[in-house]
Amino acid sequence: MQYKISQEQNERKRSFINNKLYEYNLKHFPKDLRGRYQEINLFLTDENDQIRGGILGEICWNWLEIHTLMIDEDIRGLGHGSKLLLEIEQIALNNKCDFIKVDTLSFQALDFYQNHGYQIYGTLDNVGRDHQHYYLKKDLS
């Protein structure tokens, strides 16, 4: 049999690969954690319903992973990021998550996360040649 590698944007194939890995992973997690997946998307909007920020993440098994936290630059430092973070942390607690993980670049929000109790567990240097990529975790249990 011959095999080939292709690079393409194909939602059906992407979904197939993700589902196969998910099925494999299920075999290695306790039954009470199986099927625990939920997207969590919180949005900050103004009085005109314009999106000014948000936090996007997902609950997966026994943790919550934050993928994106963004606040418009002109309203940063007013506490909106902290409110979003505290809200998603409460959602994680309500869903019996053991920890939250997030990553950030050195020019983004490292101090913000550390000020909220997140601890670095990994770092990559030479990201974009001049920056570091930080991986952080906050234990909830």
Side-chain angles (χ1 to χ4, degrees):
M1 179 166 292
Q2 293 185 354
Y3 298 94
K4 70 176 186 171
I5 296 173
S6 63
Q7 179 182 350
E8 57 188 284
Q9 299 296 320
N10 186 309
E11 181 60 31
R12 181 187 61 80
K13 290 179 181 179
R14 188 189 72 75
S15 184
F16 178 84
I17 295 297
N18 279 331
N19 286 334
K20 292 297 273 189
L21 179 60
Y22 179 77
E23 289 170 9
Y24 174 81
N25 288 346
L26 277 179
K27 299 174 189 174
H28 300 277
F29 279 89
K31 288 184 180 184
D32 66 317
L33 294 179
R34 292 183 184 174
R36 280 183 43 104
Y37 177 84
Q38 177 186 356
E39 284 188 31
I40 307 294
N41 301 312
L42 304 175
F43 302 101
L44 176 69
T45 55
D46 65 17
E47 65 275 359
N48 298 315
D49 204 35
Q50 297 297 306
I51 299 170
R52 301 300 310 276
I55 189 167
L56 312 176
E58 64 186 3
I59 293 172
C60 188
W61 291 302
N62 64 320
W63 72 85
L64 185 139
E65 183 165 355
I66 297 170
H67 294 296
T68 304
L69 172 58
M70 187 285 302
I71 302 293
D72 280 345
E73 286 188 58
D74 65 320
I75 60 169
R76 289 183 188 162
L78 301 176
H80 300 297
S82 293
K83 289 177 184 174
L84 285 167
L85 188 61
L86 291 173
E87 180 71 23
I88 207 165
E89 287 178 359
Q90 188 59 54
I91 291 169
L93 286 166
N94 292 346
N95 283 276
K96 298 179 175 74
C97 292
D98 295 322
F99 62 93
I100 299 175
K101 63 181 184 170
V102 65
D103 62 277
T104 191
L105 297 170
S106 53
F107 60 88
Q108 291 177 328
L110 178 62
D111 291 339
F112 171 80
Y113 288 115
Q114 288 180 311
N115 289 337
H116 285 86
Y118 290 74
Q119 297 181 343
I120 297 170
Y121 69 87
T123 306
L124 292 174
D125 295 323
N126 197 29
V127 174
R129 296 198 183 110
D130 296 327
H131 305 288
Q132 293 75 40
H133 195 147
Y134 294 97
Y135 298 87
L136 300 104
K137 175 184 171 191
K138 182 174 184 177
D139 287 321
L140 299 176
S141 52

